[in-house]
Each structure stands twice: as C-alpha cells, then as structure tokens.
Amino acid sequence: MNKPALWTKDFISISLTNFFLFMTFYFLLVTLPVYVLNELNSTESEAGLATTVFLISAILIRFVSGQWVEHFGKKKVLIASLVIFFAASVLYPFTNGLTALLVLRFFHGIGFGMATTAAGAVVADIIPNSRRGEGMGYYVMSMNLAMAIGPFAGLAIMNKWSIQAGFIVCAAVALIALMIGWSLKNEKADSRKPAAQFKLDLSPGNLIEKSALPIALTGTFFAIVYSAILSFVSVYAEELHIGAVSGFFFVVYAVVIVLSRPFTGRWFDRYGANAIVYPSIVVFAVGMLLLSQAGGAGLFLIAAGVIGLGWGTLFPGFQTIAISKARPEKKALATATFLSLFDLGIGFGSFVMGVVASGLGFKMLYAACAVYVLAGVIVYYFVQKSKRETEQFPQL
C-alpha cells in the first residue's frame, strides 16, 4: 500500500520557514549578549534580560494566538507574525540603549510566539495522520539544524565583520522566512470565521488546551535539563580547556538527529509513542552521564551525539503527542500550550541549573541531570498513562 505523500511543497515550505525563523533566533541568542556588554556597556545580568524579555513576550502571546489562528486562519496569522518578526529584525541597528533594545526584544518575541504557534498548526494539518511521527520529526529537525548553524554563523559574522553586519544578515534571513511563508497554499474560505465576529476569550479553556497539558508538563520536566546544555555547555567546555571545539557540540548534535530521523519517526508511527519515548529517555540520560565524565574533546563530542539521539527524538515525539490528542480546531492551541510550557521550563531551568552549578560544579551538575532524566521514566509513565499513548498511535 502506498503511503500518503509527506514531502509536499507546503511541507517543505513550512519547514524552511521554521528553519529561517529559528536561524534568526539562535543567531541573536549568541550575539546579543556580546552587543549588550561591549556596545551598550551593560552588565551580564542585563545581557541575560535580552533573552528573558523575548521569551516572556513569546509565552504571553501564545496564550491568545491559538484563538487567532482558530478564528482568522493559520496562514493569515502566520504571515502577520512573520511581518512583525521581520520588522523587529530590521530595527536592531537603531537601538542605542538597553531600554530601547529590551522594548524591541519584547516586540520581536511577540512575532516569534505567534509564528511558532501558527507554523505548528499549519504543519499539523499538512502531515498525513499515518506519518505524523515521521513528519513532525522532520519538521522539528529544521529547528535543530538552525540551532547548529545559527550560532556558528552569528559568531563568525560578528568576529569577521561586526555585530551591525550580523543585524543586517538577521533581517535578510527573517525576510526569507516571510517570503517562503507567503508561498503557502491559502486555506479554504469555510475554514475561517468573519473577522468582525472575533471576540477574545480569556477563560482558561481558551488559553490552555487541556488535552496537551500532561505531555506539555512532561516536556517541561525534561526542558529543565536541556536548559543546562543550552546555557552552560560552552562554559563547561572552557573549564575542560576545549573551548575551541565547543561550537561543534551542536553540530554533532544536529548531524546525529539528521541521520537518525528517518528511522525514529517511522518507528514512532509504526510501534507507538511508548516504544520510542522510553528508550529515548534512557539514551538522553546516558548522554548526560557521558557529558559529566568528559575530560577532553572526544568524549565531549560523543556525548553531544548521544544527547542528540535521545533528546532530539524525545522533543518531536512529545510535540506530536500534544497535537495528536487535540481536536482539529484546537491543534494551534495545543501547539501554543506545549511550546509555552517548554519555554517556561527552559527559562526556569536556566536559573535553577545556574544555582546548582555554582554549588556543585558542572561535572556534578551534569551527573545529577543524568539521574534526573532517568526519573523521567516514572514521570512519563504516570502522567501519560502509557497504554493510552500506544493506542493513540496504532501500528500501520
């Protein structure tokens, strides 16, 4: 029996849009702290605010963007968000103080939060049900690739030319995301409601998708550990005197994801969520243990690959579960719920892991993270009710 097509024009377009969206995000994630410290003469804590403010606005806007998608249509909200995202990207060269930068970061986060919610709803409609795990895995892989390429490009451009040149590149990348997003097929007229009838509903049931909460909270549990990698793996590399190869951590991480994705996504669809999630948790824990034992570049990069296989499989799996449990009209809200709680886990985890690292050191931090991740097996079992998850993704 022939499988329904996955690699359609629209699927490729939304994946590329997501890639360039996150390219800009990660590009700025590594370069803005340097800009704040060196160009705006601010402190390290103020540099951290540039990321915090961005994430706060993205989380807040997601609580209502799901309703916008449901009422106005996925493509309209996606295009509006990409316009906001591009407009904010253009304005970075004109920020001449910390206050102006923080206001711009809040504005930029609004576009990012809307875009990730709308794009998630678009891809949920495009992917055939029988290939949902595989398709979502490839879609999330566009984010993983951006995470590997964005920081490299940002630091390279900033070091070779200037941060101002980096801002121009960011604007160009955001424009590409907008142009590709614009090429998506329009929705049917009957899939949207008249704009005049829209009324924002701030009741909890319209701000959070209840069906997505269990897996979203499970994802938040693991995101706390992932934040320790995002925030401190480069600092850890410096401590190990291998700072020169620290940038390759996410390159190896992304390469393993690319190589494993054709298999893990198909196994997810064929054997069910549990058959993928439980082994991935164990692999993630092993990767964190290897990272804690690294004494040089070899084991450091091996750990990157193992973590890529573990966490790189868990994240799209969790997002697939969140979307699949929701009714068709609630998929955008399910996406918003999942991503918002995930970002909260990253933000909260960065602070907590920093406190723990200051007391224990990075080796003990990552060793403790390995135990914490293994405990996630129990969390997933009780929160998700494993039998129902297997039924949610029957064998093909």
Side-chain angles (χ1 to χ4, degrees):
M1 183 175 66
N2 292 329
K3 290 184 178 181
L6 174 62
W7 293 98
T8 61
K9 175 184 175 295
D10 278 349
F11 179 75
I12 294 171
S13 294
I14 195 63
S15 297
L16 286 173
T17 299
N18 194 55
F19 170 75
F20 288 113
L21 186 73
F22 275 91
M23 264 282 290
T24 306
F25 171 74
Y26 284 113
F27 192 108
L28 292 172
L29 189 68
V30 298
T31 57
L32 274 183
V34 179
Y35 175 67
V36 172
L37 291 170
N38 297 341
E39 302 290 332
L40 302 183
N41 299 313
S42 297
T43 65
E44 285 83 356
S45 60
E46 289 170 332
L49 278 175
T51 299
T52 302
V53 167
F54 182 94
L55 288 177
I56 287 174
S57 66
I59 291 169
L60 290 176
I61 201 66
R62 284 196 189 114
F63 286 123
V64 296
S65 56
Q67 292 183 54
W68 291 339
V69 169
E70 182 181 341
H71 191 94
F72 298 109
K74 293 176 281 294
K75 183 176 178 180
K76 276 190 175 181
V77 176
L78 178 64
I79 297 304
S81 66
L82 291 174
V83 169
I84 294 171
F85 192 80
F86 168 64
S89 301
V90 170
L91 294 175
Y92 278 97
F94 305 101
T95 55
N96 54 7
L98 181 64
T99 301
L101 177 66
L102 293 180
V103 170
L104 179 58
R105 288 296 281 169
F106 190 88
F107 178 63
H108 206 179
I110 289 174
F112 183 76
M114 290 173 59
T116 49
T117 299
V122 169
V123 79
D125 273 357
I126 291 173
I127 299 173
N129 287 334
S130 61
R131 304 185 71 177
R132 192 169 296 280
E134 182 185 3
M136 189 58 69
Y138 282 120
Y139 173 72
V140 172
M141 189 174 71
S142 65
M143 183 194 314
N144 299 135
L145 290 174
M147 182 175 61
I149 298 171
F152 251 137
L155 292 173
I157 292 171
M158 184 177 66
N159 292 332
K160 185 171 180 61
W161 291 290
S162 67
I163 185 64
Q164 297 298 327
F167 289 153
I168 294 172
V169 171
C170 271
V173 171
L175 178 60
I176 293 171
L178 173 59
M179 293 171 64
I180 296 174
W182 206 295
S183 72
L184 286 165
K185 183 173 59 179
N186 286 314
E187 298 167 81
K188 295 178 181 179
D190 57 5
S191 66
R192 301 184 301 271
K193 303 173 184 177
Q197 295 179 8
F198 178 73
K199 184 178 180 181
L200 186 63
D201 188 344
L202 298 179
S203 61
N206 282 287
L207 296 178
I208 296 175
E209 174 53 34
K210 289 175 63 175
S211 69
L213 271 179
I215 196 63
L217 290 171
T218 306
T220 303
F221 178 89
F222 289 100
I224 292 173
V225 168
Y226 184 55
S227 71
I229 299 170
L230 283 178
S231 301
F232 303 118
V233 75
S234 59
V235 182
Y236 180 48
E238 292 290 341
E239 184 179 280
L240 297 175
H241 306 293
I242 54 172
V245 302
S246 63
F248 289 98
F249 184 94
F250 288 110
V251 174
V252 173
Y253 173 96
V255 167
V256 170
I257 289 175
V258 172
L259 294 177
S260 64
R261 186 65 72 224
F263 309 102
T264 56
R266 290 173 187 168
W267 292 341
F268 188 100
D269 291 324
R270 184 172 184 180
Y271 301 112
N274 294 335
I276 292 297
V277 170
Y278 285 121
S280 296
I281 292 174
V282 174
V283 172
F284 187 17
V286 170
M288 297 305 298
L289 182 62
L290 291 175
L291 185 62
S292 73
Q293 299 304 306
L299 193 54
F300 181 79
L301 295 179
I302 290 172
V306 177
I307 291 170
L309 181 60
W311 174 247
T313 302
L314 277 179
F315 180 79
F318 287 159
Q319 188 169 354
T320 302
I321 295 169
I323 293 172
S324 297
K325 277 182 161 290
R327 300 193 307 273
E329 70 275 12
K330 293 293 184 181
K331 291 189 184 299
L333 188 58
T335 301
T337 300
F338 179 82
L339 293 177
S340 294
L341 288 176
F342 175 78
D343 284 343
L344 281 173
I346 293 293
F348 175 74
S350 295
F351 173 75
V352 171
M353 292 298 170
V355 173
V356 174
S358 65
L360 298 180
F362 289 112
K363 282 188 173 293
M364 285 299 296
L365 169 69
Y366 289 131
C369 283
V371 177
Y372 178 95
V373 170
L374 267 184
V377 170
I378 301 172
V379 173
Y380 177 76
Y381 177 81
F382 283 105
V383 172
Q384 277 307 106
K385 302 190 182 341
S386 60
K387 185 178 180 181
R388 291 187 181 181
E389 280 309 318
T390 307
E391 292 171 353
Q392 189 68 239
F393 301 94
Q395 293 188 12
L396 300 179

